[in-house]
Amino acid sequence: MVLTAKLHRLEEAGDQQGQLQTGDILGLPDELLLRVISFLSPGSIRNLMVNRSFRSVCEQGLYQTISLPHHPGRSIHLVETFILRPDLASLVRHLAIDFSWIYEGVFPEAQLPSIIQPDALAALSLAKNVQSLILGGLESWIWEPELAKFREAVLEMKLARLEVPRIKDPHVEYEFECGIYINSDGEAAIWNPEPETWDGDLGNEIRKLLQTQPLLEELTLPDSRISDTTEESLKGNLLASDVPNLKSLQARPGLAMVFLRVAPQLESLNLMLREWNSNLLSEMETNSAAIKLSIRRFTIRVWDYDDWLWDNMPAVLSLFPNTEDLSVTINSQEKANPAKYFFRKISDSVYVLPSLRNLDVEFETFYSETPRIYEVDIQSIINSKTACPLSETVVEPERRLWTFRTDRQELAGFEARLVGPLMEKPTRRLRDLPNPKESKNEGD
């Protein structure tokens, strides 16, 4: 905090280096300065850059992590910066970027800055030191022939984390053949892409991608639905050597099962929404046999109306009996039952997880204004501890943290102690930049 305060004073002093004493802040290693700068706002970091001695370390602080997953306008300007300043592109370690602007109607080609045409997507190769990548807006980059240069740029990276929000399988007939993007006014808009005619092997293309990323530890595919053709290709060809270091996976159950068979070192599994039935449970049991004991963090998103799942929750949780951290997110589409109903179902099911230490239950609903809809019974919290004696914390749908202590009045009993509400980060959405040409005209 003392160093941060000094940097704030330096920000006010501007380029007056004479005010700094020899051996003071400027004498600190860059690694420590970067750590201190990480506590400052981007605006404060930019102000510090007027001091020539701090410019280099401030640029590192600004460009190490860039998060623009839903902002095509800002992403355009970022690509422009990469082209003009490859040195800044090489500083990026964690990148979340939105490439939806390549689609017709989002930002027409004639209105894009001339410097990023015609091979704007290939500019991603300038960010050669990226270790964590989130690719938004492009759903077909893994296989589409026209995106070969972009694909090559990704294949050349050495990633520890990769998130592809959605993979569009050309062999799937999607119910809604349209896309949604955020336009230059910050509003949701729709475009209708042309029907896909590619008849290649998507499973083979996914495997090629994985083979180029031997350091990959975390793979996130939250909204990717693959065809039976692609699934069979992956099942028949994906090997453990293709994902030698994979420790964390997020995907829909059908796609996740492909990886469960070949990733015995997997520790964290996040299953996205899917209606469950006895066939799916049986398939999960078969495909997860090799890794069922290695999973320590299990996350699952469920529908409130999935009666089969709620009736068989113990069987689903017992797929991974060594789970220590369990997170359940309930996606509520109906108004029939409040959070307490589902929380009770979960607390009555965790007895199959003897190693459970932390339970987190979140309730997402369209009816958040309904009185007491997030409230849960204290007894249900205590029941989860009774069922799992090693349990340390519970976060319930009101996003409050509970711990436990022995109930002195009841032998071998527990009482729940409220620690307090979680400190949630504000979710204020950053407004996207306007159309590049419009932005330039406004400044004229």
Side-chain angles (χ1 to χ4, degrees):
M1 291 300 102
V2 174
L3 287 175
T4 304
K6 286 186 176 183
L7 284 175
H8 276 301
R9 289 197 296 272
L10 178 60
E11 175 192 346
E12 297 172 357
D15 198 30
Q16 301 174 24
Q17 292 180 330
Q19 297 186 21
L20 296 175
Q21 297 179 359
T22 302
D24 202 352
I25 295 178
L26 291 177
L28 295 174
D30 284 354
E31 292 78 7
L32 181 56
L33 285 175
L34 274 172
R35 177 63 177 161
V36 176
I37 284 174
S38 69
F39 291 99
L40 302 179
S41 68
S44 294
I45 297 176
R46 285 193 296 269
N47 291 337
L48 279 173
M49 291 176 67
V50 301
N51 185 291
R52 288 189 298 272
S53 300
F54 270 94
R55 184 167 300 163
S56 175
V57 72
C58 284
E59 286 179 341
Q60 292 182 60
L62 280 175
Y63 282 88
Q64 267 197 344
T65 299
I66 297 177
S67 183
L68 301 170
H70 307 292
H71 298 90
R74 293 179 183 272
S75 295
I76 289 174
H77 287 278
L78 178 63
V79 170
E80 189 175 12
T81 299
F82 283 177
I83 295 172
L84 293 172
R85 292 285 306 274
D87 58 313
L88 295 182
S90 68
L91 297 176
V92 181
R93 298 295 184 272
H94 310 280
L95 177 63
I97 189 168
D98 184 342
F99 281 103
S100 63
W101 49 270
I102 74 165
Y103 292 106
E104 183 178 354
V106 183
F107 287 108
E109 185 174 333
Q111 297 180 355
L112 295 176
S114 59
I115 193 170
I116 68 171
Q117 299 182 48
D119 295 324
L121 297 179
L124 188 64
S125 62
L126 298 172
K128 55 188 177 181
N129 294 317
V130 168
Q131 300 168 356
S132 172
L133 180 64
I134 301 177
L135 283 176
L138 282 180
E139 301 175 353
S140 55
W141 64 271
I142 291 181
W143 56 266
E144 191 169 335
E146 290 78 6
L147 298 177
K149 288 186 178 180
F150 179 84
R151 186 163 53 251
E152 183 179 340
V154 177
L155 297 180
E156 290 179 352
M157 292 179 174
K158 303 304 177 187
L159 299 173
R161 177 176 185 263
L162 174 62
E163 177 174 339
V164 184
R166 191 167 187 258
I167 297 176
K168 184 173 183 180
D169 190 328
H171 308 303
V172 172
E173 292 186 8
Y174 293 90
E175 183 177 357
F176 301 104
E177 281 295 332
C178 63
I180 298 177
Y181 65 94
I182 305 302
N183 64 20
S184 59
D185 295 323
E187 301 173 344
I190 297 176
W191 80 89
N192 295 297
E194 294 292 328
E196 306 296 352
T197 58
W198 187 74
D199 60 356
D201 185 347
L202 177 58
N204 187 50
E205 297 303 319
I206 294 175
R207 188 181 178 216
K208 285 180 183 178
L209 167 65
L210 295 172
Q211 288 174 332
T212 64
Q213 305 299 328
L215 303 179
L216 191 68
E217 296 183 357
E218 182 177 347
L219 179 61
T220 302
L221 307 166
D223 193 26
S224 296
R225 182 161 60 95
I226 63 172
S227 64
D228 292 340
T229 300
T230 300
E231 184 175 328
E232 290 303 315
S233 172
L234 285 169
K235 281 184 177 179
N237 297 291
L238 191 65
L239 303 175
S241 57
D242 297 330
V243 286
N245 290 298
L246 189 64
K247 294 181 173 62
S248 176
L249 174 67
Q250 178 179 345
R252 295 191 181 195
L255 183 55
M257 284 189 285
V258 172
F259 290 89
L260 298 184
R261 299 164 52 254
V262 296
Q265 70 284 355
L266 205 65
E267 299 172 354
S268 177
L269 178 63
N270 187 333
L271 296 180
M272 302 304 290
L273 283 169
R274 166 81 185 269
E275 288 190 47
W276 286 71
N277 54 43
S278 57
N279 289 335
L280 177 58
L281 177 61
S282 177
E283 290 177 15
M284 286 293 296
E285 288 175 335
T286 300
N287 287 281
S288 64
I291 58 97
K292 66 179 302 176
L293 299 181
S294 68
I295 296 296
R296 296 293 185 270
R297 293 180 297 278
F298 182 35
T299 300
I300 183 171
R301 294 182 67 92
V302 298
W303 297 109
D304 61 341
Y305 59 76
D306 193 345
D307 293 335
W308 189 94
L309 175 62
W310 292 111
D311 291 341
N312 295 274
M313 182 63 77
V316 173
L317 296 183
S318 65
L319 286 170
F320 309 107
N322 287 347
T323 296
E324 297 177 2
D325 300 294
L326 173 65
S327 296
V328 182
T329 298
I330 303 146
N331 192 302
S332 177
Q333 301 285 311
E334 304 174 358
K335 200 175 181 179
N337 293 306
K340 67 169 63 177
Y341 171 82
F342 301 103
F343 187 86
R344 189 182 304 119
K345 288 273 191 180
I346 295 168
S347 66
D348 290 344
S349 302
V350 294
Y351 66 89
V352 298
L353 303 176
S355 301
L356 186 67
R357 294 184 179 275
N358 304 294
L359 172 63
D360 187 338
V361 179
E362 192 166 357
F363 189 70
E364 297 179 347
T365 177
F366 293 119
Y367 307 100
S368 58
E369 301 302 321
T370 303
R372 303 174 67 180
I373 194 169
Y374 294 104
E375 186 177 283
V376 301
D377 298 325
I378 301 299
Q379 188 58 48
S380 294
I381 297 176
I382 296 174
N383 289 347
S384 70
K385 171 66 173 178
T386 303
C388 305
L390 297 179
S391 179
E392 298 172 356
T393 66
V394 170
V395 176
E396 32 88 344
E398 288 189 284
R399 312 313 294 155
R400 297 185 300 174
L401 176 67
W402 296 79
T403 59
F404 303 95
R405 59 187 175 191
T406 303
D407 188 344
R408 296 179 180 177
Q409 298 181 357
E410 185 176 343
L411 186 64
F414 302 97
E415 60 178 353
R417 185 174 69 87
L418 177 63
V419 177
L422 295 184
M423 296 295 292
E424 302 281 357
K425 287 187 176 181
T427 56
R428 183 175 64 87
R429 188 169 182 137
L430 181 68
R431 186 174 176 84
D432 197 19
L433 292 176
N435 179 296
K437 289 292 184 182
E438 291 174 2
S439 177
K440 291 183 179 180
N441 291 339
E442 289 173 4
D444 291 341

